[in-house]
Amino acid sequence: MAQIAEDLFLLLLDNASAQPGLDRPRRERVLTAAVLLDLAHACRIRPAMAGEPIEAGMLVALAAPGPMDPVVEPAFQLLLRRPLKPETALAKLRKHTQDNLISYLEATGQIRRVRLQSKRFSRPYAWPLTNRDRVSAARSALLSALFDGQSPTPPTAAIISLLHAVDGLGALLSLNDRGWRYVHARATEISTGSWVDEESMALPEMNLAMTTAVVRSALM
């Protein structure tokens, strides 16, 4: 399951309009970045390290057994052809990532499509959630990490890091100036990988943290 990308999109839909918050350019980039981080957490891609034959920071596909989630498969197939810089991967994938997510979430019954009676052709649909359990859990985890000082789960850390990179936390939160100063400081801390315990962290989490760093740089 593409947990990071799916949870992020559901969080962006969780509003009165049932339309994704965040302007389209930033949304396309951040959702595509989330798909790349899902692949990293599944150990399907990794960033190249210094001393390898290719440039450090380029995204490299890894052979791994098992079925491929349809949300992340296009990104994996792209990187399987050759390693790419994160910014190149984002540019090549961003056009179709949101549509792939919507199709999958509709097919699995997590959202439904409602056509709007509007002359605004760019936003003719809303996508109400069919069940709030998943998005409520994702929002609770995000708020606990930002406001209660709890160490975030890997998917929550990835979502916070990506939204912070594009100045997109405002799509989920409404705060006063003091609240935003606190949130930006906490999000910056999480984005630096403070949630990683190097002594006990498993390989998927370590790979996710390293990939998040290079993908965030491309977003910023």
Side-chain angles (χ1 to χ4, degrees), residues 12 19 27 33 36 40 47 54 63 66 93 110-111 119 142 146 152 180 182 202 205 207 209 211:
L12 292 173
Q19 292 180 322
R27 188 171 72 245
L36 294 174
I54 58 176
L93 294 165
Q110 298 180 70
I111 60 175
K119 295 181 180 179
L142 182 141
L146 288 175
W180 278 121
Y182 179 86
E205 286 72 31
N207 191 46
T211 309

Side-chain angles (χ1 to χ4, degrees), residues 46-60 82-88 214:
R46 66 169 177 84
M49 300 288 106
E52 293 193 63
I54 58 176
E55 181 182 342
M58 294 186 75
L59 298 176
V60 181
R82 62 184 177 90
L84 293 174
K85 293 182 178 180
E87 52 265 41
T88 303
V214 299

Side-chain angles (χ1 to χ4, degrees), residues 141-165 169 182-196 205 208-210 212-213 216:
L142 182 141
L143 295 177
S144 293
L146 288 175
F147 294 104
D148 298 335
Q150 291 191 9
S151 181
T153 63
T156 301
I159 289 170
I160 291 171
S161 298
L162 294 178
L163 286 175
H164 185 244
L169 286 166
Y182 179 86
V183 162
H184 283 308
R186 176 61 176 151
T188 298
E189 180 185 4
I190 291 170
S191 298
T192 61
S194 64
W195 58 277
V196 177
E205 286 72 31
L208 174 61
M210 291 188 298
T212 298
R216 266 179 54 84

Side-chain angles (χ1 to χ4, degrees), residues 14 139 142-143 146-147 168-181 183:
D14 187 24
R139 184 175 292 278
L142 182 141
L143 295 177
L146 288 175
F147 294 104
L169 286 166
L172 307 185
L173 304 171
S174 179
L175 303 170
N176 59 24
D177 288 344
R178 182 179 179 183
W180 278 121
R181 285 194 296 270
V183 162

Side-chain angles (χ1 to χ4, degrees), residues 38-220:
D38 274 311
L39 285 170
H41 197 208
C43 291
R44 297 287 186 128
I45 67 170
R46 66 169 177 84
M49 300 288 106
E52 293 193 63
I54 58 176
E55 181 182 342
M58 294 186 75
L59 298 176
V60 181
L62 302 171
M68 180 68 65
D69 188 301
V71 173
V72 302
E73 184 170 11
F76 180 74
Q77 292 298 331
L78 176 69
L79 292 170
L80 199 60
R81 296 173 200 158
R82 62 184 177 90
L84 293 174
K85 293 182 178 180
E87 52 265 41
T88 303
L90 290 172
K92 287 179 175 292
L93 294 165
R94 60 182 291 182
K95 184 176 180 180
H96 301 294
T97 298
Q98 178 175 282
D99 289 342
N100 290 343
L101 268 168
I102 289 172
S103 296
Y104 182 76
L105 291 170
E106 280 189 282
T108 54
Q110 298 180 70
I111 60 175
R112 59 189 179 88
R113 184 185 300 250
V114 176
R115 187 173 186 89
L116 302 177
Q117 298 298 320
S118 173
K119 295 181 180 179
R120 298 178 61 187
F121 296 109
S122 61
R123 303 182 74 182
Y125 296 102
W127 292 276
L129 307 177
T130 59
N131 186 300
R132 292 191 49 80
D133 290 348
R134 179 174 178 181
V135 76
S136 294
R139 184 175 292 278
S140 178
L142 182 141
L143 295 177
S144 293
L146 288 175
F147 294 104
D148 298 335
Q150 291 191 9
S151 181
T153 63
T156 301
I159 289 170
I160 291 171
S161 298
L162 294 178
L163 286 175
H164 185 244
V166 298
D167 195 23
L169 286 166
L172 307 185
L173 304 171
S174 179
L175 303 170
N176 59 24
D177 288 344
R178 182 179 179 183
W180 278 121
R181 285 194 296 270
Y182 179 86
V183 162
H184 283 308
R186 176 61 176 151
T188 298
E189 180 185 4
I190 291 170
S191 298
T192 61
S194 64
W195 58 277
V196 177
D197 183 346
E198 295 186 4
E199 294 184 358
S200 61
M201 193 64 68
L203 178 60
E205 286 72 31
M206 291 294 294
N207 191 46
L208 174 61
M210 291 188 298
T211 309
T212 298
V214 299
V215 170
R216 266 179 54 84
S217 295
L219 285 175
M220 297 173 70

